[in-house]
């Protein structure tokens, strides 16, 4: 195995800084790189061996197993069969696994939609996370697809939790909050509780997407 | 659509948050956005702990050859060998250490290995077109690959995508996130490409074009291109 060294290796710190300064005069550093669509061919680059599951083994932190199913639908109600969902969440006790690579569960996953635009996310139900104000259980989601120009971001909440106290959901116009809440399915068993959630890209029930303000 | 008039077709009312320097959600010349781009604006929020945290990305088992797309098979891929290198920083200019960078691209003939790509250009048995690496402690990254070819797509009559490389970058928090495409200098297809042109700000579009940089050449072997990326909270207004 030949590991080629970076073209930056071997430069003195002074030389790197000189070059960066030169760079800064040409390029305003505060301009964020523009987002572009992920396109239709991301699978072999981002989910090479199929989805990146959230549950990858048996060594799991305590928590309720859940299954979240749903679909991504366009403005005509047609399934989007080339979308990618990227998930980040707390574990069942509301803790974020940020310290070390954890092979069986770290709260991160990727799920590509199938031919019917559908996805199935098996995970642990996130706990109430210990923010400045306690946050209701939720999944963070990025949605990427051909024809989607932004890096779309939102949260998914659960309809059997106390969402009325959540500090982020309170910032969403009340009449649209329902678009961010997964519904508990009546077929839930004791072992795995199932929820349903659809992404509607347009229309009366258009899913709310979020952006941070300074 | 036989010709594209981007000034005419760009409707600022469909833009995302004002002054974000990001593309609109719906850009009529790029047909797929018409039914897929959300029509409502993004809801501005003050985010929480979830958005500021991220795991130590371990889902790829990244080895030494994952950032060299020319050595992943028995033989050498066809096409022009290039180095793509640069630095990952935030919008304040601070380097983002250890970002996970993934890229994917067509081969030199303009064909993706993806099963949905029906363009009848040849596949290259010695080229997959996917790579990944971590930036170093100072945000620097480097890939060795093959210059991709342009390819036709179905957006409008005789539509061609300019040669490009797809990039995905995961930074230090879940929202320090970028999905973009890198282009090559002096490509006449750029100005007639609805995806590249979807961004209304020429300065932002210019930054999607890598610069030829002789410092990154491998003499008599590969040409060097520099591509820096700046990750902000998406939508940070220009100061």
């Amino acid at each position: 195995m030949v590991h080629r060294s970076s073209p930056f290796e071997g430069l003195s710190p002074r030389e790197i800084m000189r070059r960066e300064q030169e760079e800064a005069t040409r390029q305003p550093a505060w301009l964020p790189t523009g987002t572009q669509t992920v396109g239709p061919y991301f699978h072999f680059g981002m989910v090479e061996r199929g989805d990146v599951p959230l549950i990858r083994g048996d060594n799991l932190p305590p928590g309720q197993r859940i299954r979240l199913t749903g679909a991504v639908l366009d403005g005509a109600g047609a399934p989007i069969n080339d979308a990618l969902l990227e998930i980040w969440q707390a574990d069942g006790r509301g803790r974020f696994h940020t310290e070390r690579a954890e092979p069986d569960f770290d709260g991160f996953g990727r799920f590509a939609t199938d031919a019917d635009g559908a996805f199935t996310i098996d995970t642990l139900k996130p706990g109430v996370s210990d923010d400045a104000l306690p946050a209701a259980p939720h999944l963070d989601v990025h949605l990427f697809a051909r024809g989607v120009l932004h890096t779309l971001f939102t949260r998914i909440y659960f309809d059997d939790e106390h969402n009325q106290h959540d500090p982020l959901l309170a910032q969403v116009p009340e009449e649209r909050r329902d678009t961010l809440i997964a519904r508990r399915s009546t077929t839930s068993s004791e072992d795995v509780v199932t929820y349903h959630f659809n992404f509607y890209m347009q229309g009366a029930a258009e899913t709310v997407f979020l952006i941070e303000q300074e | 659509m036989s010709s594209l008039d981007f000034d005419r077709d760009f409707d600022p009312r469909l833009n995302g948050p004002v002054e974000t320097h990001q593309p609109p959600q719906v850009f009529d010349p790029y047909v797929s956005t018409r039914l897929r781009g959300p029509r409502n604006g993004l809801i501005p929020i003050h985010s929480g702990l979830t958005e500021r945290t991220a795991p130590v990305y371990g889902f790829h088992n990244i080895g030494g050859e994952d950032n060299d797309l020319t050595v992943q098979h028995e033989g050498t891929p066809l096409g022009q060998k290039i180095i793509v290198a640069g630095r990952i920083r935030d919008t304040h200019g601070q380097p983002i250490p250890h970002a996970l960078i993934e890229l994917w691209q067509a081969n030199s003939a303009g064909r993706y290995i993806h099963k949905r790509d029906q363009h009848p250009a040849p596949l290259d048995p010695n080229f997959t077109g996917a790579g990944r690496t971590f930036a170093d402690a100072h945000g620097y990254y480097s890939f060795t690959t093959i210059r991709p070819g342009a390819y036709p797509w179905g957006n409008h009559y005789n539509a061609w995508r300019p040669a490009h490389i797809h990039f995905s970058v995961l930074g230090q928090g879940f929202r320090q996130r970028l999905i973009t495409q890198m282009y090559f200098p002096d490509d006449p297809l750029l100005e007639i490409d609805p995806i590249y042109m979807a961004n209304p700000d020429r300065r932002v579009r210019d930054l999607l074009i890598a610069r030829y940089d002789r410092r990154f050449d491998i003499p008599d072997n590969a040409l060097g291109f520099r591509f820096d990326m700046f990750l902000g909270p998406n939508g940070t207004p220009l100061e």
Side-chain angles (χ1 to χ4, degrees), chain B residues 195-210:
Chain B
I195 293 179
Y196 174 73
M197 290 299 289
N199 199 305
D201 189 321
R202 172 163 288 283
R203 293 168 302 169
V204 176
R205 292 200 301 269
D206 284 347
L207 292 175
L208 298 178
I209 303 174

Side-chain angles (χ1 to χ4, degrees), chain A residues 65-77:
Chain A
R65 290 284 295 264
I66 64 169
R67 168 169 287 185
L68 179 68
T69 63
V72 183
L73 303 166
D74 75 10

Side-chain angles (χ1 to χ4, degrees), chain A residues 16 30 33-36 43 75 82 86 110 131 138 140 146-147 150 155 171 202 206 209 211-212, chain B residues 22-23 30 32 34-37 39 43 45-46 49-51 91 102 114 175 177 180 183 230 238:
Chain A
I16 288 174
W30 56 85
T33 300
T35 66
Q36 294 262 280
H43 301 83
D82 51 8
E86 193 171 76
R110 283 175 176 167
D131 210 334
H138 62 272
D140 258 21
R146 170 176 61 87
H150 278 245
R155 281 185 176 185
Q171 301 171 64
Q202 296 176 356
E206 181 182 304
F209 293 99
I211 191 162
E212 290 86 349
Chain B
Q22 298 296 359
Y30 178 18
S32 294
R34 295 176 189 171
L35 286 173
R36 292 183 166 201
R39 295 278 172 166
I43 301 292
I45 46 103
H46 295 285
L49 191 57
T50 325
E51 288 73 37
T91 47
E102 298 161 284
H114 197 286
R175 290 293 291 145
R177 185 76 178 97
T180 195
Y183 300 91
F230 295 90
L238 188 68

Side-chain angles (χ1 to χ4, degrees), chain A residues 1-4 7-8 16 19-20 23 26-27 29-38 40-46 48-49 52 74-76 80-82 86-88 96-101 106 108 110 130-131 138 140-142 144-153 155 168 171-173 176 201-202 206 208-214, chain B residues 22-25 27 30 32-40 42-57 59 64 83 86-87 89-91 102 104-105 112-114 116-117 128-130 132 140 142 144 166 168 170 174-175 177-181 183 195 198 204 207-208 211 215-216 218 226 228-230 233-235 238:
Chain A
M1 184 187 77
V2 181
H3 184 75
R4 235 177 41 75
F8 305 95
I16 288 174
R19 293 183 184 195
E20 292 304 331
E23 188 73 20
R26 283 197 298 254
Q27 235 176 37
W30 56 85
L31 204 56
T33 300
T35 66
Q36 294 262 280
T37 178
V38 77
Y41 304 133
F42 59 82
H43 301 83
F44 77 106
M46 293 174 72
E48 185 191 13
R49 288 172 292 271
V52 176
D74 75 10
I80 295 182
N81 64 7
D82 51 8
E86 193 171 76
I87 309 288
W88 168 239
F96 294 99
H97 292 229
T98 60
E99 293 301 314
R100 65 190 77 80
D106 61 12
F108 183 87
R110 283 175 176 167
D130 191 20
D131 210 334
H138 62 272
D140 258 21
V141 187
H142 284 134
F144 310 117
R146 170 176 61 87
V148 172
L149 292 165
H150 278 245
T151 298
L152 291 178
F153 159 67
R155 281 185 176 185
L168 188 143
Q171 301 171 64
V172 175
R176 297 187 67 201
M201 302 309 292
Q202 296 176 356
E206 181 182 304
V208 165
F209 293 99
L210 308 167
I211 191 162
E212 290 86 349
Q213 55 185 359
E214 292 288 290
Chain B
Q22 298 296 359
Q25 305 283 5
F27 184 63
Y30 178 18
S32 294
T33 66
R34 295 176 189 171
L35 286 173
R36 292 183 166 201
R39 295 278 172 166
N40 289 292
L42 306 176
I43 301 292
I45 46 103
H46 295 285
S47 57
L49 191 57
T50 325
E51 288 73 37
R52 295 192 299 272
T53 51
V56 177
Y57 294 106
F59 60 89
I83 308 297
R87 196 172 194 191
R89 280 172 280 182
D90 66 21
T91 47
E102 298 161 284
W104 64 101
Q105 63 169 90
Y112 284 92
I113 205 167
H114 197 286
R116 289 183 193 166
D117 185 3
T128 300
R132 49 191 68 101
Y140 293 109
S142 172
T144 304
H166 292 269
S168 160
L170 290 149
F174 187 66
R175 290 293 291 145
R177 185 76 178 97
L178 177 67
I179 298 278
T180 195
Q181 300 180 30
Y183 300 91
I195 293 179
V204 176
L207 292 175
L208 298 178
R211 291 202 317 276
R215 294 176 305 179
F216 302 149
I218 302 175
R226 175 150 191 173
D228 287 0
M229 288 174 272
F230 295 90
N234 290 299
L238 188 68

Side-chain angles (χ1 to χ4, degrees), chain B residues 59-115:
Chain B
F59 60 89
H60 286 313
N61 186 15
I62 294 183
E65 293 177 356
D66 281 325
N67 72 339
D68 188 342
L69 286 71
T70 67
V71 296
Q72 295 172 349
H73 297 273
E74 285 277 306
T76 305
L78 292 169
Q80 185 181 44
K81 187 173 169 182
I82 60 172
I83 308 297
V84 177
R87 196 172 194 191
I88 314 289
R89 280 172 280 182
D90 66 21
T91 47
H92 302 291
Q94 295 303 307
I96 299 173
H98 310 303
L100 172 59
I101 306 157
E102 298 161 284
L103 66 71
W104 64 101
Q105 63 169 90
N107 67 22
S108 61
R111 177 79 185 268
Y112 284 92
I113 205 167
H114 197 286
K115 61 182 183 296

